[in-house]
Amino acid sequence: MKKTKPNILLIYTGGTIGMVKDSKTGTLRAFDFTNLLKQIPELQLLDCNIETVSFEKPIDSSNMNPGYWVQIAELIEVNYKRFDGFVVLHGSDTMSYTASALSFMLENLAKPVVFTGSQLPIGDLRTDAKENLITSIQMASLQHLNQPVVKEVCLYFEYKLYRANRTTKINAEHFKAFASLNYPDLAESGVHLKINHDYLLKPNLKKSLIVHKELDTNIALIKIFPGISEAVIKSIFNTPQLKGVILETYGAGNCSTEKWFINLLEQTIKKGIHIINITQCSGGSVMMGHYETSENLVKIGVISGKDITTEAAISKLMYMLGQNISSKVFKTIYETSLRGEML
Ligand code: ASP
């Protein structure tokens, strides 16, 4: 079989990675991606064809929202046939949210979508941007018998390729800014690229890509703490149009057994609002019913988020609410791994 060079689409959404420092004023400004190959000549050494597309107005990822997630999904959708892999350059602050959302929005994805960014701008002398960018493109270009090796949404940062919906930003300063505490790395970059084939998602290749663009943002995230007041929780649960709540509980999914608290949860679930229990810990899983302090949650119909990250829990909830899934099966589907995001 004749080996052809893979075609990679680089999508620039914004963030530090695409910035250069003005040598006179010292301010950061967006880098001109149409001249990418000229400005980073190393990219020409890669064994792939690269095309670039940029958001009209690149944004700091703190301004990301589901509307932009749809824009990224549409760029992938319209270019899906023509390209073998996609690299999305994104600010690191909310990268795990966007990348997790994209994993749900792109059903039956059979090509790599690699998110990356950097802690220092690409023009900075000590930048981590070049390595992150170059290796992300290499990861997206990996082929076996003219087929992409990686067939899922991933995040590459500081020598590691992760399943995107398993990641969290853990550090605002270190080059190692992300971690995937509940799932092994998909690949590691050292002298060689070491791919952990056993951990890669294996989608059904007979199915074609479906891009879901309906996301329902009528949700809330509550991180409980000792002393949280009834008034605060009540006011959140009484939010008009509210359809789902992610409850960040302690340890293996434990929370107060106080009557007012459990009653509030119960009444809310009876109103048809979905409540999902996830842990505040960075690693490990919710095990409802393991302790007495979570037994009540099982009885009243709280959904277990198992070992899902907060970022994936939020985007999965928005995605599932956008699908108008009936309340009868909502709990079962939420507790099922749809894109490798949970146990
Ligand atoms: N604030 C920036 C952003 O998330 C930080 C970064 O790019 O790493 O867009």
Side-chain angles (χ1 to χ4, degrees):
M1 198 182 285
K2 195 172 158 280
K3 196 173 168 289
T4 51
K5 269 191 181 185
N7 297 318
I8 303 297
L9 182 65
L10 203 60
I11 302 172
Y12 177 54
T13 69
T16 307
I17 190 164
M19 307 255 159
V20 276
K21 211 178 239 169
D22 188 297
S23 53
K24 289 194 187 105
T25 61
T27 48
L28 291 177
R29 58 175 164 76
F31 175 91
D32 178 7
F33 268 82
T34 45
N35 287 321
L36 184 74
L37 293 181
K38 268 196 214 133
Q39 302 203 42
I40 310 179
E42 294 94 320
L43 293 180
Q44 291 173 28
L45 301 174
L46 292 172
D47 202 16
C48 60
N49 306 309
I50 304 170
E51 279 185 39
T52 57
V53 54
S54 170
F55 269 18
E56 210 171 304
K57 250 186 118 210
I59 56 162
D60 185 292
S61 79
S62 314
N63 283 321
M64 262 291 156
N65 61 42
Y68 288 118
W69 298 347
V70 172
Q71 271 190 42
I72 301 170
E74 283 176 342
L75 279 172
I76 294 170
E77 183 179 31
V78 297
N79 290 293
Y80 194 67
K81 289 228 166 73
R82 214 157 64 76
F83 290 89
D84 303 289
F86 301 85
V87 174
V88 183
L89 303 182
H90 192 289
S92 62
D93 288 348
T94 64
M95 195 188 300
S96 291
Y97 289 91
T98 305
S100 298
L102 264 291
S103 76
F104 297 111
M105 294 164 78
L106 303 174
E107 187 176 351
N108 305 326
L109 179 73
K111 296 184 179 184
V113 174
V114 183
F115 276 76
T116 196
S118 65
Q119 295 283 54
L120 285 175
I122 206 153
D124 198 286
L125 208 54
R126 295 177 47 249
T127 190
D128 52 334
K130 278 194 188 175
E131 200 284 319
N132 285 350
L133 173 62
I134 289 169
T135 313
S136 293
I137 296 173
Q138 284 188 318
M139 294 286 184
S141 308
L142 290 172
Q143 302 247 318
H144 179 65
L145 304 174
N146 278 347
Q147 287 293 321
V149 171
V150 177
K151 304 178 188 75
E152 61 182 294
V153 182
C154 327
L155 189 153
Y156 181 82
F157 226 88
E158 189 66 0
Y159 305 112
K160 296 264 173 87
L161 184 75
Y162 308 103
R163 174 164 301 154
N165 57 31
R166 292 291 197 153
T167 62
T168 305
K169 185 171 180 185
I170 48 146
N171 202 298
E173 199 181 321
H174 293 167
F175 286 146
K176 186 179 172 1
F178 289 88
S180 164
L181 285 150
N182 284 336
Y183 198 76
D185 311 329
L186 301 181
E188 195 175 349
S189 159
V191 172
H192 304 286
L193 298 185
K194 196 171 148 261
I195 314 297
N196 295 323
H197 291 273
D198 290 349
Y199 298 122
L200 295 174
L201 209 61
K202 290 162 191 83
N204 181 341
L205 300 178
K206 291 196 187 100
K207 294 189 174 172
S208 28
L209 179 77
I210 305 171
V211 183
H212 299 278
K213 301 175 193 174
E214 300 301 323
L215 298 154
D216 193 330
T217 56
N218 288 303
I219 67 167
L221 168 67
I222 306 178
K223 180 172 188 159
I224 60 160
F225 55 90
I228 191 166
S229 77
E230 184 171 354
V232 164
I233 299 196
K234 228 182 205 164
S235 80
I236 298 175
F237 284 167
N238 285 328
T239 307
Q241 317 294 329
L242 187 72
K243 299 202 184 101
V245 177
I246 308 283
L247 198 65
E248 267 196 15
T249 59
Y250 311 124
N254 306 312
C255 58
S256 164
T257 49
E258 279 182 85
K259 232 183 159 53
W260 68 263
F261 181 72
I262 300 297
N263 284 348
L264 256 183
L265 295 185
E266 190 170 14
Q267 286 159 19
T268 307
I269 293 171
K270 282 201 177 128
K271 279 199 289 186
I273 296 173
H274 306 287
I275 299 185
I276 295 117
N277 184 7
I278 67 168
T279 175
Q280 297 181 4
C281 298
S282 350
S285 179
V286 157
M287 289 188 288
M288 289 210 296
H290 189 63
Y291 289 93
E292 200 185 12
T293 41
S294 62
E295 223 185 340
N296 288 323
L297 304 183
V298 180
K299 286 190 196 131
I300 61 175
V302 169
I303 298 171
S304 173
K306 301 184 182 176
D307 63 344
I308 201 167
T309 61
T310 303
E311 293 87 337
I314 285 177
S315 49
K316 184 173 185 175
L317 184 55
M318 286 188 193
Y319 159 73
M320 281 184 59
L321 290 171
Q323 299 291 295
N324 285 321
I325 293 167
S326 92
S327 51
K328 265 198 223 142
V329 289
F330 197 93
K331 183 174 188 292
T332 314
I333 299 181
Y334 199 98
E335 289 178 350
T336 306
S337 172
L338 303 179
R339 311 279 191 267
E341 74 283 4
M342 57 166 57
L343 275 171

